Amino acid sequence: MAFDLVFFGGTGDLTWRKLMPALFQAWRHGSLPLGGRILAVARDDRDDAGYRAWLKERLAEADSAKRPSDDEFEQFSRAIHYLRMDLSQPADYARLTAWLAERQADTVVMYLATSPHLFPQICEQLGAAGLNHERVRVVLEKPLGHDLASAQEINRVVRSVFSERQALRIDHYLGKPAVQNLMALRFGNVLFEPLWRRERVANIQITLAESLGVGTRGDFYNRTGALRDMIQNHALQLLTMMAMEPPSSADADAIRDEKLKVLRSLKPFDAVSVARDVVRGQYRAGNVMGQAVRGYQEEDKVPPGSHTETFVAIKCEVQNWRWAGVPFYLRTGKRLAQRHSEIVVNFHPTPHPIFPGSHAPNRLVIKLQPEDGLELHLLAARGTERSVFNPEGLEALSPVSLDLDFDKAFPTERVGAYERMLLDAIAGRLNLFVRSDEQEQAWRWVEPVLQAWKHDPSGVKTYTAGTWGPPAASALVARDGFAWAEEA
């Protein structure tokens, strides 16, 4: 299939750190369709050879297993081209049109790897240049807007140029193999479905933890914060996949319809519930993995006295028959104890215990990163009890676990998140992309939290780098009689 893939922001960090390496891996694996051209667009004054040389230097920084050899890069880079463009100039879009017209590719994908504030301008210019015909798709990288109003404005402009099926809003978390297995776990197996409801589930915890700080992104992060950066998109998408009803088919809209229903069922926040059910924190100096690290306010490009949150913990509820009364706890943060993303389903204890001793209820752990797998925590008898003073003959149970490591179960190299998303964009598969109404509903849900924080900027709590966040986050869960997984 002949395709043209255009990267706006062709010299930006996202393109050379994520997108180009993902395309190279697809090429190396033989999954990138033949006959494709890749065009990097930026303001720098370069030609094809200059851009290829620059990109080769960047890719040399990749992990050794994913680094191209000289021969591999020479072959791969034959498909890579460069076009200097000023994104505000119609004449430059005419040059892009002429380049694309050199052949009639089956598919043209415009990937907007730029700041979101440029999305409306680029889309309007593409429409004016006639680059919105049926063979064109546009990929919009997150964050899509800064709040509900800005997201709606971006979507309004995008819809004026492209149809909904042409606009692909990317959330790379949805491309992770472990997240794909959420769908397989729920809708490819019959085992858990009868248990997947309020009668059996006590609570669900979603943790997206990072041990790194903000690094060189201090200016961006200070304008964004953890709620916008991780909760509004990644965490809520995971929540919808955990809570959604079985879709009628694998069609993209059937799946996205069910996810939207979950977002619309989330109990809305007001000023009182924000104060009660949301904890925000900011890391101070501490020790991570045996190394002393700076606090957030000492990081580069972070203004003194910043109130931006680097940690958020939220208790929320899906108000429908399946999940009524079941707390969902969402948590994300920078400079936490370890890099650790997982979903924990805690089940109710047995209704009538007959074995001696106290035992933790069963739980299912869905590991997202750095490990990728499933753990099912159960109880079992050791079979070593010999006491004559046990008239019932029942011994205390011991915890055991069934552990499935997907990397061992599937020893061949698995498809990375951006590799999958790029291949899906080229093929026109929409299942892993977020629809505009989903995205706007997610913003609508977090908007009261943003507003409450705006009127109470001093409410951010500090936590020591290398810990699991402010003590208030533990208290949030303990109030309901539960504990975070690492504290249980």
Side-chain angles (χ1 to χ4, degrees):
M1 177 181 69
F3 70 90
D4 286 335
L5 176 56
V6 181
F7 288 128
F8 290 85
T11 56
D13 278 8
L14 176 63
T15 299
W16 70 263
R17 287 184 186 275
K18 300 291 186 180
L19 303 179
M20 286 296 189
L23 280 177
F24 169 70
Q25 292 303 316
W27 175 85
R28 176 185 266 178
H29 298 153
S31 53
L32 190 67
L34 299 175
R37 297 189 303 176
I38 303 162
L39 178 66
V41 167
R43 297 189 67 165
D44 306 53
D45 192 9
R46 288 190 173 99
D47 58 12
D48 290 356
Y51 182 78
R52 290 168 183 165
W54 174 86
L55 181 62
K56 185 177 182 180
E57 292 179 4
R58 305 284 82 73
L59 293 184
E61 300 176 21
D63 295 340
S64 57
K66 297 182 178 181
R67 193 178 303 155
S69 66
D70 290 345
D71 183 58
E72 284 179 322
F73 184 80
E74 195 279 328
Q75 295 180 58
F76 169 65
S77 66
R78 292 172 190 167
I80 297 176
H81 305 271
Y82 182 83
L83 180 65
R84 183 184 182 279
M85 281 185 65
D86 181 334
L87 299 182
S88 65
Q89 296 301 312
D92 286 356
Y93 288 86
R95 292 171 54 229
L96 173 61
T97 302
W99 186 85
L100 294 169
E102 291 174 4
R103 63 174 193 165
Q104 294 295 314
D106 300 315
T107 299
V108 178
V109 177
M110 307 288 190
Y111 198 118
L112 308 193
T114 66
S115 174
H117 79 272
L118 294 174
F119 292 176
Q121 179 187 73
I122 297 172
C123 288
E124 287 177 334
Q125 293 279 13
L126 289 173
L131 293 176
N132 60 339
H133 52 78
E134 60 182 10
R135 291 181 287 108
V136 174
R137 302 183 190 108
V138 60
V139 179
L140 307 168
E141 180 66 47
K142 88 157 190 85
L144 211 66
H146 193 69
D147 53 18
L148 177 60
S150 59
Q152 288 175 325
E153 176 59 18
I154 291 173
N155 284 330
R156 183 192 66 79
V157 175
V158 172
R159 279 193 294 264
S160 72
V161 180
F162 298 98
S163 70
E164 184 65 47
R165 296 192 68 82
Q166 289 177 288
L168 283 59
R169 296 162 189 83
I170 194 169
D171 184 335
H172 71 271
Y173 246 72
L174 299 183
K176 290 179 178 291
V179 177
Q180 292 303 296
N181 271 308
L182 285 181
M183 295 289 286
L185 175 73
R186 289 209 53 201
F187 307 127
N189 299 281
V190 74
L191 180 63
F192 291 108
E193 178 57 27
L195 308 178
W196 218 259
R197 58 193 66 250
R198 59 185 173 83
E199 292 87 355
R200 295 291 179 262
V201 175
N203 68 83
I204 293 178
Q205 303 175 10
I206 298 176
T207 296
L208 306 176
E210 300 179 77
S211 58
L212 295 176
V214 299
T216 60
R217 301 168 70 230
D219 180 58
F220 163 79
Y221 199 88
N222 199 64
R223 291 180 281 108
T224 305
L227 184 71
R228 292 182 175 95
D229 191 42
M230 297 294 288
I231 297 292
Q232 184 273 334
N233 39 70
H234 302 328
L236 283 185
Q237 283 295 315
L238 294 176
L239 185 153
T240 62
M241 296 177 79
M242 293 296 291
M244 66 189 279
E245 294 298 319
S248 59
S249 71
D251 177 73
D253 278 330
I255 294 171
R256 297 190 289 188
D257 285 345
E258 297 301 335
K259 289 163 64 181
L260 179 61
K261 289 177 185 177
V262 174
L263 292 171
R264 287 175 172 167
S265 298
L266 283 171
K267 186 177 182 179
F269 282 110
D270 56 26
V272 173
S273 59
V274 169
R276 183 187 64 231
D277 296 334
V278 182
V279 176
R280 53 179 164 152
Q282 185 185 98
Y283 65 84
R284 57 177 178 260
N287 191 291
V288 177
M289 315 282 263
Q291 184 176 10
V293 297
R294 296 183 293 182
Y296 176 72
Q297 299 206 25
E298 288 79 56
E299 299 280 21
D300 296 338
K301 301 179 182 178
V302 173
S306 169
H307 297 293
T308 297
E309 79 285 355
T310 63
F311 175 95
V312 179
I314 297 178
K315 173 189 174 181
C316 54
E317 181 183 340
V318 179
Q319 295 183 306
N320 61 23
W321 275 38
R322 182 184 287 263
W323 296 113
V326 177
F328 284 72
Y329 301 107
L330 313 181
R331 177 177 58 164
T332 187
K334 296 280 191 183
R335 286 291 187 217
L336 297 182
Q338 61 187 44
R339 178 173 176 258
H340 175 74
S341 295
E342 68 178 20
I343 302 171
V344 179
V345 181
N346 290 301
F347 294 96
H348 285 300
T350 53
H352 177 62
I354 61 172
F355 292 88
S358 59
H359 305 290
N362 303 139
R363 61 190 169 111
L364 173 68
V365 181
I366 303 164
K367 297 184 289 186
L368 305 178
Q369 65 179 23
E371 299 91 3
D372 176 10
L374 296 172
E375 288 179 0
L376 183 59
H377 294 259
L378 306 169
L379 297 169
R382 290 178 180 268
T384 57
E385 179 63 61
R386 295 186 176 88
S387 173
V388 297
F389 300 105
N390 183 356
E392 290 83 12
L394 297 176
E395 63 178 283
L397 302 181
S398 299
V400 295
S401 63
L402 303 177
D403 191 350
L404 172 60
D405 185 330
F406 286 126
D407 287 334
K408 293 179 180 177
F410 307 112
T412 56
E413 186 174 358
R414 305 171 75 199
V415 178
Y418 271 108
E419 182 181 346
R420 177 182 294 275
M421 302 300 273
L422 285 164
L423 292 174
D424 281 3
I426 292 169
R429 294 186 290 262
L430 305 179
N431 298 49
L432 302 184
F433 296 96
V434 180
R435 207 167 56 191
S436 61
D437 50 3
E438 280 184 83
Q439 182 234 353
E440 290 180 13
Q441 185 61 34
W443 275 118
R444 192 170 286 111
W445 186 70
V446 302
E447 188 93 336
V449 181
L450 294 171
Q451 291 300 317
W453 289 356
K454 184 178 180 180
H455 294 100
D456 180 26
S458 62
V460 63
K461 297 171 170 46
T462 60
Y463 61 97
T464 303
T467 66
W468 282 105
S474 296
L476 175 71
V477 181
R479 190 177 68 211
D480 298 327
F482 304 123
W484 293 105
E486 74 278 356
E487 299 172 341

